[in-house]
Amino acid sequence: MSDIKILYTANVHVTGGRDGSARSADGRLDVKLSTPGGPGQGTNPEQLFAAGWSACFEGAMAIAAKQKGITLPADLAIDAEVALRLGDDGFSLAAKLNVSVPGLDPDLARLLIETAHRTCPYSKAIKGNIDAVVALV
């Protein structure tokens, strides 16, 4: 583990929790937060996680495609679902990525998706921690 090199560190300051605001140290992120499904404007942590995981996953797919000499279609798209759940053990998350890779052979698309799911930092972080599914649609 001594060979780990930090490539980037995000610094975000949050006040007010789910009904507050979040601002990154560099000012590139500055959002109002709101409770999921509640009144008012703003995003919520579940939406932010969905956006972050999707973007990271698409990047992991691009790396996998490049390594295998495959060109990804320009209209590749990922629709993310992040559910906030309440059960006997309290709150939890469940997540799903629906990956659309138009024009690419489904077997190749699945190979890239599987590779990306093994290498994407978000996928690694949630593995075994939340119910997560990645599907080719």
Side-chain angles (χ1 to χ4, degrees):
M1 288 278 197
S2 62
D3 292 339
I4 293 176
K5 178 181 175 184
I6 295 173
L7 301 176
Y8 174 77
T9 300
N11 294 292
V12 176
H13 181 75
V14 174
T15 58
R18 286 186 173 271
D19 290 310
S21 62
R23 187 171 198 289
S24 63
D26 63 6
R28 294 176 120 184
L29 175 74
D30 191 358
V31 295
K32 181 173 177 21
L33 301 171
S34 64
T35 304
Q41 297 185 353
T43 188
N44 59 64
E46 291 73 24
Q47 290 172 332
L48 292 170
F49 181 79
W53 186 25
S54 298
C56 186
F57 196 88
E58 189 167 332
M61 284 186 68
I63 291 169
K66 184 176 181 182
Q67 290 172 343
K68 295 181 185 324
I70 299 169
T71 300
L72 290 175
D75 54 351
L76 182 150
I78 299 175
D79 292 310
E81 303 170 13
V82 175
L84 176 62
R85 308 183 307 183
L86 179 59
D88 292 339
D89 62 345
F91 292 101
S92 66
L93 295 176
K96 182 176 184 181
L97 295 184
N98 294 303
V99 184
S100 173
V101 192
L104 192 64
D105 175 80
D107 289 334
L108 281 178
R110 282 186 198 89
L111 175 67
L112 294 178
I113 288 168
E114 290 167 7
T115 302
H117 198 39
R118 285 192 309 273
T119 60
C120 170
Y122 276 72
S123 292
K124 288 179 178 182
I126 64 173
K127 185 178 181 180
N129 295 312
I130 69 169
D131 292 336
V133 174
V134 179
L136 175 64
V137 294

